Amino acid sequence: MSTRAKTFFRKLDLANGVVEATHGTGGKVMAQLVEELFLPAFDSKELRARNDGALLEVGAGQLVVSTDSYVVSPLFFPGGDIGSLAVHGTVNDVAMGGARPLALTVGFILEEGFPLKDLARIVASMAAAAKAAGVPIVTGDTKVVERGKGDGVFINTTGVGMLPAGRVAPSAERMRPGDVVLVSGTMGDHGVSILSTRESLSFESELLSDSAALNSLVELMYRAVPDLHVLRDPTRGGLATTLNELTHHVGVGVRLREKDVPVKPQVHAACELLGLDPLYAANEGKLLVVCAPGDAKKLLEAMKEHPLGRDAAIVGEVVEDPECFVQIDTTFGGARILDWLAGEQLPRIC
Amino acid sequence: MSTRAKTFFRKLDLANGVVEATHGTGGKVMAQLVEELFLPAFDSKELRARNDGALLEVGAGQLVVSTDSYVVSPLFFPGGDIGSLAVHGTVNDVAMGGARPLALTVGFILEEGFPLKDLARIVASMAAAAKAAGVPIVTGDTKVVERGKGDGVFINTTGVGMLPAGRVAPSAERMRPGDVVLVSGTMGDHGVSILSTRESLSFESELLSDSAALNSLVELMYRAVPDLHVLRDPTRGGLATTLNELTHHVGVGVRLREKDVPVKPQVHAACELLGLDPLYAANEGKLLVVCAPGDAKKLLEAMKEHPLGRDAAIVGEVVEDPECFVQIDTTFGGARILDWLAGEQLPRIC
């Protein structure tokens, strides 16, 4: 690169500056934002090549591609922010395809007037999350909308990964009656953390989002059990919604045991206060896995060896059920249906 | 799939309905939007598998990944809409990497209250554009934000493609003094069309956006000339900005001839009225290509054989210039510098 490319009129004012329309219209000001904020943070050789796209070497096989836009409100929450969430969420979606994530793309939609200080904080958090997950950010895009036409920042991340040779992709339709359902940890942490922040509730111990990248946990699981039937991250709508999507797609039922589903006591308490069910609350660092009955115990042991799987549990089974119900045997000896709700009234949880 | 999955309370009201918060929160209402609107339109086997990501078979080689968010305003404009633009723009970015586009992902950020009728029109337009370009939409995501926190619809598309074996990826740093610069057609059509629509200007002949997918043109070019040094689509900021980005990155200059740069007479006229320079106005169906001098004539002939390259022209050369200037020899015998502007004051052009 020529030295001239770096000669901007004055340095970007990351302490007091705000997003301006020109940051999104092409030209020198946009180039400066890329040069002084995005490139140093994300620092991948693909970004440095300054092409419209990134070039990645891949072997022959099956590529997994997944996309998510993040509109979480508030942007900063206990345990993370929209930046780390945008990395974790998409890394997880690729990992739930059974793949090893290779790279992420990032698209920012910024609202005019958004403080560059906050943007820099979000970018640093994305960079740290990407580095920790071992997945580089290889290409990106920035758009700016007028005040009142956005909400600070929205982020899209898209992830690509490769299914290791010989691994059968986990998929909804591989779920069979008799299969066992496990979760990797406590349910509802992210949703309840966001909602408590919005409602300004405070608890004795802070409710942290569980936002985390699950790709290394997934690899450890595959080393123990080479064939996982279904992998999902129960995000929006939580465990109950994700299971309902699966049962209705496949035409089976699921039977859970309430006493076995891990929920943190403070999440339980907050849910009572907020009138929520933790099984419908979002998770951003948990997975559910469906496997053959003979594999369940070995899989559970493997999951428990990973820091993100310490609270893993076998929570239920896939059953034959033409009604596609997700049922739960309650701690009090009864059973109830975890209905497929029209929609949780929890917008912008991720 | 079980029949139950399709049993929604009542059909989505595409004629009079609007986007609601529940369309983005997970659950049955979101599933219905996917089932009744997105799936029938995009209809790819990957989407039908209902997994978080899509699985694509690839051969060993170089994968090109590119992402763009689209926030164009107005959503519908002469010659296209945000949906077709979101397909063309990202297909083109992948093609500018020298790759054959394989698949697109789509992420919608919808504003509460947005008419489903308009969403359906945009989705149909995306589906038609994807089909025409031969690039399926394989996975997606939908988020909803409150009224006043968005602007109808924003769309992110991310594209993946493979560089055919033996093809050297075009890249900025492959630009050399002596190389020839060509464009595939008239400059500024998209930018001027959008701006005229916004300003409610009317001209004798309608100014249409040039929005189009360039992947088949690129393949035809590679058949004629196997080594293209640089490929770019001059979108935001137009030809002048794209060339400045290249020259400042590489440390060379570019010398254009004004008389050879194709511009439609009505675009010229509109630009005079609006105080714009067509060389800084966005294009969404044009490319610029830099090649070795010995290849230029053959390349031009090949481009002219394609409907999207009919007006292609050799417009200038790469020169040695430590100042990295993009200069243009004017029709009146002088020369002027096409400066790297701070930023065009044309927000939301794409």
Side-chain angles (χ1 to χ4, degrees), chain A residues 1-5 8 21-31 48-71 73 92-93 96-97 102-103 105-109 138-146 148-151 154-158 160 162-163 169-173 230-233 236-237 241 245-252 322-325 339-348 350, chain B residues 1-5 8 21-31 48-71 73 92-93 96-97 102-103 105-109 138-146 148-151 154-158 160 162-163 169-173 230-233 236-237 241 245-252 322-325 339-348 350:
Chain A
M1 169 169 2
S2 78
T3 50
R4 228 188 111 79
F8 296 109
T22 49
H23 285 125
T25 51
K28 214 187 268 187
V29 172
M30 195 172 95
R48 282 193 301 274
R50 304 289 197 298
N51 289 312
D52 281 338
L55 208 59
L56 305 170
E57 290 286 341
V58 295
Q62 292 186 294
L63 186 76
V64 171
V65 189
S66 191
T67 194
D68 255 322
S69 298
Y70 298 84
V71 299
S73 174
N92 292 349
D93 280 341
M96 296 308 115
L102 281 178
T105 68
V106 57
F108 292 101
I109 298 177
V138 295
T139 189
D141 173 58
T142 307
K143 292 292 182 334
V144 176
V145 296
E146 308 90 318
K149 302 289 185 186
D151 196 15
F154 301 142
I155 301 178
N156 176 284
T157 48
T158 301
V160 295
M162 289 296 292
L163 203 73
S171 188
E173 60 271 17
V230 185
L231 274 173
R232 283 290 164 110
D233 51 343
R236 283 182 281 185
T241 302
E245 285 167 7
L246 291 171
T247 59
H248 285 83
H249 177 51
V250 180
V252 294
E323 297 292 331
C324 308
F325 284 146
D339 205 359
W340 198 11
L341 299 185
E344 284 271 286
Q345 291 298 342
L346 294 180
R348 304 186 60 186
C350 62
Chain B
M1 177 176 350
S2 77
T3 50
R4 226 187 112 79
F8 297 108
T22 49
H23 285 125
T25 52
K28 213 187 267 187
V29 173
M30 195 171 94
R48 282 193 300 273
R50 303 290 199 297
N51 288 312
D52 281 338
L55 209 58
L56 306 169
E57 290 286 340
V58 295
Q62 293 187 292
L63 186 76
V64 170
V65 189
S66 191
T67 193
D68 256 323
S69 298
Y70 298 84
V71 299
S73 173
N92 292 349
D93 280 341
M96 296 308 116
L102 281 178
T105 68
V106 57
F108 292 101
I109 299 177
V138 296
T139 188
D141 173 58
T142 307
K143 293 292 181 337
V144 176
V145 296
E146 309 90 318
K149 302 289 184 186
D151 195 16
F154 300 142
I155 302 177
N156 176 284
T157 48
T158 301
V160 295
M162 290 296 291
L163 202 73
S171 188
E173 61 270 16
V230 184
L231 273 173
R232 284 289 163 109
D233 52 342
R236 282 182 281 183
T241 301
E245 285 167 6
L246 291 171
T247 60
H248 285 83
H249 178 52
V250 181
V252 294
E323 296 292 330
C324 308
F325 284 147
D339 205 0
W340 198 12
L341 299 185
E344 285 271 286
Q345 291 298 343
L346 294 179
R348 304 185 61 185
C350 62

Side-chain angles (χ1 to χ4, degrees), chain B residues 180-213:
Chain B
V180 174
V181 181
L182 299 90
V183 297
S184 64
T186 55
M187 291 289 104
D189 299 8
H190 177 75
V192 172
S193 166
I194 295 287
L195 215 66
S196 305
T197 309
R198 269 194 222 153
E199 306 287 328
S200 304
L201 295 180
S202 61
F203 298 92
E204 271 180 48
S205 54
E206 196 175 32
L207 287 175
L208 293 182
S209 164
D210 58 349
S211 183

Side-chain angles (χ1 to χ4, degrees), chain B residues 89-334:
Chain B
T90 297
V91 164
N92 292 349
D93 280 341
V94 173
M96 296 308 116
R100 293 187 186 136
L102 281 178
L104 293 175
T105 68
V106 57
F108 292 101
I109 299 177
L110 306 175
E111 186 188 10
E112 222 180 324
F114 186 65
L116 289 178
K117 174 166 92 298
D118 290 345
L119 181 61
R121 190 176 153 199
I122 289 164
V123 164
S125 158
M126 289 192 84
K131 196 170 176 196
V135 187
I137 292 168
V138 296
T139 188
D141 173 58
T142 307
K143 293 292 181 337
V144 176
V145 296
E146 309 90 318
R147 265 173 218 270
K149 302 289 184 186
D151 195 16
V153 55
F154 300 142
I155 302 177
N156 176 284
T157 48
T158 301
V160 295
M162 290 296 291
L163 202 73
R167 189 180 286 179
V168 180
S171 188
E173 61 270 16
R174 301 193 56 222
M175 186 165 176
R176 298 269 176 279
D179 278 359
V180 174
V181 181
L182 299 90
V183 297
S184 64
T186 55
M187 291 289 104
D189 299 8
H190 177 75
V192 172
S193 166
I194 295 287
L195 215 66
S196 305
T197 309
R198 269 194 222 153
E199 306 287 328
S200 304
L201 295 180
S202 61
F203 298 92
E204 271 180 48
S205 54
E206 196 175 32
L207 287 175
L208 293 182
S209 164
D210 58 349
S211 183
L214 296 166
N215 50 331
S216 63
L217 172 62
V218 168
E219 287 305 310
L220 191 145
M221 289 162 62
Y222 270 111
R223 278 199 292 278
V225 174
D227 188 20
L228 306 175
H229 295 180
V230 184
L231 273 173
R232 284 289 163 109
D233 52 342
T235 56
R236 282 182 281 183
L239 181 65
T241 301
T242 304
L243 284 175
N244 267 288
E245 285 167 6
L246 291 171
T247 60
H248 285 83
H249 178 52
V250 181
V252 294
V254 160
R255 192 108 195 185
L256 300 176
R257 287 172 300 275
E258 193 168 33
K259 70 172 174 49
D260 295 335
V261 180
V263 178
K264 286 185 177 147
Q266 65 267 44
V267 169
H268 250 313
C271 278
E272 298 238 322
L273 211 65
L274 294 161
L276 288 177
D277 184 334
L279 301 188
Y280 287 90
N283 307 280
E284 291 290 348
K286 301 291 157 52
L287 58 82
L288 81 87
V289 52
V290 177
C291 70
D295 287 333
K297 207 166 151 255
K298 202 195 304 177
L299 183 59
L300 179 67
E301 282 163 16
M303 289 166 79
K304 283 179 166 293
E305 281 167 30
H306 194 282
L308 295 174
R310 262 197 322 261
D311 301 322
I314 294 173
V315 295
E317 285 83 37
V318 180
V319 296
E320 293 200 28
D321 182 357
E323 296 292 330
C324 308
F325 284 147
V326 178
Q327 292 195 67
I328 189 161
D329 296 324
T330 65
T331 2
F332 309 109

Side-chain angles (χ1 to χ4, degrees), chain A residues 91-153:
Chain A
V91 163
N92 292 349
D93 280 341
V94 173
M96 296 308 115
R100 292 187 186 136
L102 281 178
L104 293 175
T105 68
V106 57
F108 292 101
I109 298 177
L110 306 175
E111 185 188 11
E112 224 179 323
F114 186 65
L116 288 178
K117 175 166 92 302
D118 290 346
L119 181 60
R121 189 176 154 199
I122 289 164
V123 164
S125 159
M126 289 192 83
K131 196 171 175 195
V135 188
I137 292 169
V138 295
T139 189
D141 173 58
T142 307
K143 292 292 182 334
V144 176
V145 296
E146 308 90 318
R147 264 172 219 271
K149 302 289 185 186
D151 196 15
V153 54

Side-chain angles (χ1 to χ4, degrees), chain A residues 253-295:
Chain A
V254 160
R255 191 106 194 187
L256 300 175
R257 286 171 301 275
E258 192 168 34
K259 69 174 174 54
D260 295 334
V261 180
V263 178
K264 286 187 177 148
Q266 65 266 44
V267 169
H268 250 313
C271 279
E272 298 238 321
L273 212 65
L274 293 161
L276 289 177
D277 184 334
L279 300 188
Y280 288 90
N283 308 280
E284 292 289 348
K286 301 290 158 51
L287 58 82
L288 80 88
V289 52
V290 178
C291 70
D295 287 333

